Amino acid sequence: MATLNIVAPGPIAMADFKGKVDPDWCPGCGDFGVLAAVQKALVELQIPNHRVATVSGIGCSSNFPGFINTYGMHTLHGRSLPVASGLKLANHELTVLVTGGDGDGFGIGCGHFVHAMRRNINLTYLVLDNQIYGLTTGQTSPTSRIGMKTKSNPYGNEDAPVNPLTLALSAGATFVARGFSGDQKHLTELIKQAIQHKGFSFLDIFSPCVTYNKDNTFQWFRPRVKKLEDNAEYDATNWVAAMEKATVWGDEIPIGKFYESTDIPSLEETEPVLDAGPLINHELHIPPDVAKKFVEELM
Amino acid sequence: MSETFAIGIGGAAGQGVATPGDIFAMIFSRRGLHLNAYNAYQSIIRGGHTFLTIRTGIEPVECMGDGIDLLIPLNQDTMDRHLRLLTTGGACIYNADTIKPGAAADGVQLCALPVSKMADITRNKVAQNTLALGAALSMMGVGFQSLESVIAGQFGRKGEAVVKENVDLARTGYEYATANFKPFARPLPMTEKRYAVLSGNAAMAMGGAAAGVKFYCAYPMSPSTGVLHWMAGHGRKAGIMVRQMEDEIGVINMAIGAAHAGVRSMCATSGGGFALMTEGLGLSAMAEIPVVAINCMRAGPSTGVPTKTEQGDLWQALGAAFGDFPRVIAAPLNIGDCFTLMAEIFNVTDRFQCPGIVLCDLLLSEGRLSVDPKLLDFIPEIDRGELITTNGDFHEEEYLRYKFTESGVSPRAIPGLLGYTHTVASDEHEENGVLISDEYTNAGKRRAMMDKRMRKVAGIEAMVPPPVLEGPQDAQVTLVGWGSTDGTIREARARLAEQGITANQLQIRWLVPLHGDAILKILRAAKHTILVENNYSGQFARYLRSETSFVADGHIRKYDGEPFMPHHIAEGVREQLSGSTTLSVPTHEVMV
Ligand SMILES: Cc1ncc(C[n+]2csc(CCOP(=O)(O)OP(=O)(O)O)c2C)c(N)n1
Ligand code: SF4
């Protein structure tokens, strides 16, 4: 079961990203597809596993870091984004992926979600959106539809769902996309673009919970999802068009890259403290002349 | 206790109490004098009442003391509240146009300034402050030049004309006092020494910078905000990343993320924000990522009294986060110690990969103290513990982030290195970081990992020194305090000594580890023990009892929002030695 941590030099392959244990998700869970797409994207981008950190919250989907061989952090429910932000700002040369569920990101962690996007730190945030609380055995989530019957709403959900895409767009996310675990190729492509985007990239991924969500199943999504990339007219640099597209929901559900802005610098690029390189490489002691000035100020 | 001189300046918020306070502080420190300043204020930006006490002397001034020698009331309210603090030899300088003096004690000089005749008050609204400042320094026997140069420094940024106007005003006040008022019996002394004057918040921020902190984040909350302000103003020069977060939950988690990357990472807040941080502290403990959180205590519960002090968060710190885990908690003894403690606590948390909590309080956070600049050591000893920061060799074995060791400490590899990929986990895990629930929750594995983490407690205890008894061994009474009450208790002991009562003192700086056995040995040998705390329930008394079964003979507690003054403690001791009570609860005599 134990895997070697050292990868022999040579091209980076899928095996490099195989986790220490096999995922314990329910057979058929949408999260398997997302994991495979992430591994494939990293291989295609040839990013070595030791230069990647995967940070999650808590939930079925948040067990993700344990199932991929990178540096991983399994944090608290809803807190993956602040942890990942701190990690990235202290060592911005790492590729930092953030994974979690819709409850983790849009429920308990929603405050951090909005503010992380404002900051435009170069993080790739993948929400494995199953419109239900999986790990806690099937309660209503912030993306559950009105009327959906769950263990916590046996008579049907009364609260309107959040729209993660319009929320992200209005909070200033510089990359907003939606993928589907059932379309591997398309999802892998989106993940690659999200990783390559300089700034905060948000990817909402339909990842059906086969155990607790009987509404939003693979079969339900398959005929509905329509790729934006198939529409030659769609312009992903147009924020207003993205807002409009993001509200389309019904017989047709658009997936793909809704919006990308490449002219807003990431926080790491503008923060002068990082001009000298990643914080972890800075000298521990501050320069004596600077220290001397700090004391002289007080005299 | 050697001679000190204390000035009280009071007025409504917005009346400009701070500027004369800063100028006095600057003059004292440039004369080579020690000082201690404490500002009693309210959580409003305009109005209310604020009263600054600034006390100076040749020897270190460890607390605000009991009385004042000079009162400068900027409004009637201050005159009415504080005139009674003056005793024989004291003086009160006030604006005779707007303020009526009250009945002063015998031998108190009432110095009326005819302000409207001395200055154009329609042009300069705070003319009375500068006139009083000049008058005060004349009476204190300070040469005008030193005032002039401080004013030039203070107002320099506002331009030549403003400097001149203020220097002229100060001179008018100075000359008026020389001609009309009696100087103080002893002129202000002078030494060759030079001190730095700083707040506890600045001291903790600088102490963190000196300790090698590279990441600081916070959400504003009185009385901790000064740490953020210092960091925000100096971070770029020091190479420290400073971030304001959306809330304290974000703060602690971001700090943990940065710490995991491999930098020293710190944050500060007050009780309410600390409450929000607690789940994160548990993550620090479980994932074994060292982080230091400062809690500047204010009077609680809930939003409480934002601008008033208390030592009321001890149990919150002891119980922060669920489950059992190693933690360290330390309470700085004074503002200088706010600086020194930071490198020490980081060394412990780095070595033992656990959360560290600094329990400061408003008294130190916002008070100001003169400190010998030599004590502000920017190259303290730094021990980062077993931290792996370079790429590994090709090896066959798996790197075990949570390897079972005798000390409980497992070498910690920072992310990004070749050969050490691993996952740190908030769920219980095995040596390699794999969640135990990923297979089947195994009781043996859970117990082994708990034992590993808890083994660190013994190492922490060995690294942190036990407290020592200060003062005569065979004293009649032993006063026990923790953190910021150190200087006040020491001065109270001096007062008691003058009255023929010998007292010694056991001041606790490290709350966890407590060193209960060492404390018990000291206290069992004591004749009469009294616990002094700035809270209602005797939080430390209860903690001490839970750890050692020791029950003190008596308690002195204060929970009115203001710090102890030495006489509160001295009177409590006398009362208790006479046998009339075992619990003294002094209240602040003056409304501030
Ligand atoms: C502070 C806190 N509250 C509640 C929980 C319990 N909890 C764990 S996961 C979860 C929700 C999981 O749903 P989601 O984030 O959508 O992830 P999924 O399991 O569906 O992948 C909850 C409520 C927790 N771990 N921590
Ligand atoms: S409960 Fe749902 S989300 Fe969780 S592993 Fe099973 S299928 Fe996936």
Side-chain angles (χ1 to χ4, degrees):
Chain A
M1 194 192 30
T3 43
L4 293 185
N5 284 283
I6 290 289
V7 186
I12 289 153
M14 282 299 269
D16 298 345
F17 292 101
K18 190 175 158 25
K20 291 182 197 227
V21 284
D22 291 331
D24 51 12
W25 291 313
C26 307
C29 173
D31 295 356
F32 284 101
V34 183
L35 175 65
V38 168
Q39 289 167 324
K40 226 178 287 167
L42 291 167
V43 171
E44 288 180 19
L45 293 173
Q46 287 289 294
I47 306 176
N49 63 5
H50 70 280
R51 302 304 293 167
V52 181
T54 313
V55 182
S56 74
I58 297 296
C60 294
S61 45
S62 288
N63 287 350
F64 198 102
F67 308 141
I68 181 168
N69 185 19
T70 65
Y71 279 93
M73 290 185 90
H74 179 241
T75 73
L76 296 168
H77 191 36
R79 314 305 165 202
S80 59
L81 282 171
V83 174
S85 301
L87 175 69
K88 178 75 182 182
L89 291 175
N91 187 357
H92 63 274
E93 286 176 352
L94 298 177
T95 296
V96 180
L97 310 177
V98 190
T99 57
D102 37 297
D104 194 76
F106 313 140
I108 192 166
C110 194
H112 305 309
F113 177 52
V114 170
H115 291 279
M117 289 183 286
R118 277 173 57 217
R119 294 188 183 106
N120 201 32
I121 298 171
N122 193 358
L123 299 171
T124 301
Y125 184 31
L126 312 171
V127 175
L128 286 66
D129 189 349
N130 55 14
Q131 293 141 288
I132 196 89
Y133 279 16
L135 192 66
T136 45
T137 70
Q139 300 80 17
T140 308
S141 112
T143 50
S144 301
R145 68 167 174 86
I146 288 191
M148 181 165 154
K149 289 191 174 142
T150 68
K151 281 191 192 159
S152 57
N153 283 106
Y155 307 108
N157 174 31
E158 295 158 311
D159 300 350
V162 295
N163 181 331
L165 301 188
T166 53
L167 181 59
L169 285 164
S170 50
T174 53
F175 181 106
V176 177
R178 181 154 63 200
F180 175 39
S181 166
D183 190 338
Q184 276 288 301
K185 241 181 95 195
H186 180 248
L187 179 59
T188 306
E189 201 46 48
L190 283 179
I191 294 171
K192 277 165 64 183
Q193 287 184 42
I195 291 172
Q196 285 173 306
H197 173 74
K198 289 194 171 50
F200 191 94
S201 44
F202 168 58
L203 192 41
D204 190 34
I205 305 168
F206 296 137
S207 180
C209 168
V210 297
T211 306
Y212 296 112
N213 189 337
K214 303 300 180 197
D215 284 28
N216 311 102
T217 58
F218 279 103
Q219 296 83 325
W220 187 85
F221 279 113
R222 230 168 236 127
R224 288 179 169 80
V225 293
K226 297 273 177 315
K227 288 178 209 142
L228 290 170
E229 289 75 10
D230 292 344
N231 175 356
E233 254 137 65
Y234 186 74
D235 173 10
T237 65
N238 184 337
W239 188 86
V240 175
M243 270 306 240
E244 206 170 318
K245 244 326 169 217
T247 59
V248 175
W249 185 274
D251 291 341
E252 181 194 323
I253 300 175
I255 59 170
K257 185 169 81 177
F258 282 70
Y259 179 69
E260 181 171 17
S261 155
T262 50
D263 51 9
I264 299 173
S266 69
L267 181 61
E268 305 91 282
E269 288 173 288
T270 53
E271 171 60 59
V273 172
L274 299 182
D275 289 350
L279 287 182
I280 54 150
N281 297 337
H282 288 202
E283 283 293 322
L284 262 186
H285 291 304
I286 61 179
D289 56 314
V290 175
K292 197 161 158 249
K293 282 211 192 84
F294 289 168
V295 176
E296 278 167 4
E297 250 174 51
L298 309 169
M299 300 183 70
Chain B
M1 196 66 27
S2 77
E3 278 299 321
T4 61
F5 187 88
I7 302 173
I9 313 171
Q15 267 198 309
V17 170
T19 309
D22 289 344
I23 292 175
F24 278 124
M26 193 63 83
I27 287 177
F28 297 159
S29 84
R30 290 200 182 162
R31 285 178 84 83
L33 298 179
H34 274 290
L35 71 93
N36 181 306
Y38 171 72
N39 193 20
Y41 71 112
Q42 297 162 20
S43 190
I44 46 176
I45 308 301
R46 289 276 178 276
H49 179 57
T50 127
F51 191 74
L52 175 75
T53 307
I54 169 163
R55 187 175 179 220
T56 187
I58 292 182
E59 301 294 322
V61 185
E62 296 189 277
C63 68
M64 66 167 154
D66 284 317
I68 54 174
D69 300 285
L70 168 64
L71 175 67
I72 304 181
L74 302 181
N75 59 7
Q76 188 67 48
D77 187 34
T78 309
M79 175 68 94
D80 298 344
R81 288 171 198 255
H82 298 276
L83 188 61
R84 64 170 119 152
L85 290 180
L86 291 174
T87 50
T88 307
C92 171
I93 303 174
Y94 64 99
N95 180 347
D97 300 341
T98 56
I99 300 170
K100 279 196 229 6
D106 283 347
V108 170
Q109 191 184 179
L110 291 170
C111 308
L113 291 175
V115 169
S116 57
K117 296 203 187 78
M118 300 166 82
D120 179 359
I121 49 165
T122 55
R123 255 171 38 79
N124 187 337
K125 296 265 182 297
V126 290
Q128 61 163 350
N129 303 8
T130 317
L131 289 167
L133 187 66
L137 289 161
S138 154
M139 294 165 71
M140 287 155 71
V142 174
F144 188 71
Q145 265 97 31
S146 46
L147 176 55
E148 199 173 343
S149 76
V150 172
I151 289 176
Q154 192 81 16
F155 296 99
R157 249 180 290 140
K158 296 188 181 163
E160 199 86 352
V162 177
V163 172
K164 185 172 179 312
E165 183 185 347
N166 279 283
V167 169
D168 288 347
L169 273 175
R171 185 177 290 112
T172 306
Y174 193 92
E175 285 167 358
Y176 188 87
T178 311
N180 297 288
F181 307 143
K182 197 154 61 71
F184 288 105
R186 262 179 297 265
L188 201 65
M190 203 166 179
T191 78
E192 291 304 309
K193 303 259 175 48
R194 285 296 170 269
Y195 301 110
V197 177
L198 75 170
S199 69
N201 281 339
M204 288 185 288
M206 291 171 77
V213 166
K214 295 287 168 242
F215 196 91
Y216 181 82
C217 54
Y219 185 82
M221 186 170 187
S222 295
S224 69
T225 315
V227 184
L228 171 63
H229 290 174
W230 191 93
M231 283 292 188
H234 298 80
R236 286 191 181 170
K237 285 173 222 141
I240 300 170
M241 166 82 74
V242 182
R243 304 249 62 94
Q244 180 177 333
M245 284 298 279
E246 55 271 18
D247 56 36
E248 289 87 350
I249 301 178
V251 166
I252 188 73
N253 285 290
M254 188 185 231
I256 289 170
H260 180 59
V263 298
R264 280 192 166 176
S265 175
M266 166 172 126
C267 54
T269 183
S270 186
F274 188 79
L276 295 183
M277 288 186 181
T278 53
E279 194 190 19
L281 290 168
L283 173 62
S284 155
M286 187 59 142
E288 305 198 45
I289 300 168
V291 70
V292 172
I294 297 168
N295 178 2
C296 303
M297 295 180 281
R298 71 192 210 185
S302 189
T303 309
V305 199
T307 62
K308 297 294 172 190
T309 200
E310 200 160 279
Q311 294 182 303
D313 294 5
L314 175 59
W315 281 86
Q316 175 173 226
L318 290 168
F322 55 101
D324 284 321
F325 57 86
R327 73 182 85 201
V328 288
I329 306 176
L333 304 182
N334 56 56
I335 289 171
D337 196 32
C338 285
F339 181 96
T340 315
L341 180 63
M342 297 315 299
E344 289 179 43
I345 195 164
F346 267 105
N347 286 349
V348 181
T349 56
D350 259 358
R351 241 215 10 237
F352 294 96
Q353 303 173 9
C354 68
I357 299 164
V358 175
L359 270 186
C360 190
D361 55 24
L362 182 138
L363 175 63
L364 298 184
S365 275
E366 298 196 339
R368 276 181 297 163
L369 186 74
S370 54
V371 174
D372 184 342
K374 279 202 253 0
L375 298 178
L376 303 176
D377 178 7
F378 273 83
I379 34 173
E381 194 193 314
I382 290 181
D383 177 357
R384 297 241 40 208
E386 295 181 55
L387 191 66
I388 303 168
T389 57
T390 50
N391 285 334
D393 301 324
F394 282 79
H395 54 81
E396 293 293 312
E397 299 125 59
E398 185 187 17
Y399 164 67
L400 300 176
R401 169 62 190 92
Y402 300 108
K403 191 176 167 61
F404 293 140
T405 59
E406 214 174 298
S407 65
V409 176
S410 323
R412 178 163 82 99
I414 64 169
L417 301 176
L418 194 60
Y420 296 102
T421 54
H422 66 277
T423 294
V424 290
S426 151
D427 270 41
E428 188 61 284
H429 41 263
E430 296 186 48
E431 285 184 276
N432 60 2
V434 168
L435 312 190
I436 57 172
S437 54
D438 277 346
E439 293 171 80
Y440 41 84
T441 304
N442 178 318
K445 286 180 177 176
R446 156 69 178 172
R447 178 170 167 172
M449 195 51 76
M450 275 299 283
D451 286 342
K452 172 206 119 69
R453 274 192 302 271
M454 297 310 289
R455 275 201 293 279
K456 298 193 280 189
V457 169
I460 295 172
E461 246 172 43
M463 188 170 175
V464 170
V468 286
L469 188 69
E470 175 187 319
Q473 207 66 39
D474 57 348
Q476 284 161 272
V477 59
T478 295
L479 295 170
V480 184
W482 60 280
S484 66
T485 53
D486 184 49
T488 314
I489 294 178
R490 192 167 298 113
E491 190 158 330
R493 284 167 46 217
R495 287 289 96 77
L496 288 166
E498 287 161 10
Q499 297 153 9
I501 299 170
T502 54
N504 55 21
Q505 172 177 2
L506 185 67
Q507 196 71 21
I508 309 297
R509 184 174 184 247
W510 292 95
L511 291 150
V512 178
L514 184 67
H515 286 293
D517 291 346
I519 290 177
L520 205 49
K521 211 170 141 213
I522 292 168
L523 296 185
R524 283 226 177 103
K527 292 194 177 122
H528 189 105
T529 52
I530 299 178
L531 257 57
V532 181
E533 299 187 65
N534 223 173
N535 61 45
Y536 179 90
S537 69
Q539 296 197 3
F540 181 76
R542 290 188 287 126
Y543 173 47
L544 183 66
R545 192 172 64 193
S546 77
E547 292 292 305
T548 64
S549 301
F550 184 84
V551 179
D553 297 311
H555 305 267
I556 303 176
R557 295 177 195 160
K558 194 161 180 287
Y559 47 88
D560 53 14
E562 293 301 327
F564 282 106
M565 293 163 98
H567 74 274
H568 294 137
I569 299 169
E571 282 162 17
V573 169
R574 278 204 308 275
E575 177 177 70
Q576 298 199 14
L577 288 184
S578 76
S580 63
T581 184
T582 57
L583 173 63
S584 309
V585 185
T587 37
H588 238 64
E589 297 83 351
V590 181
M591 284 256 287
V592 282

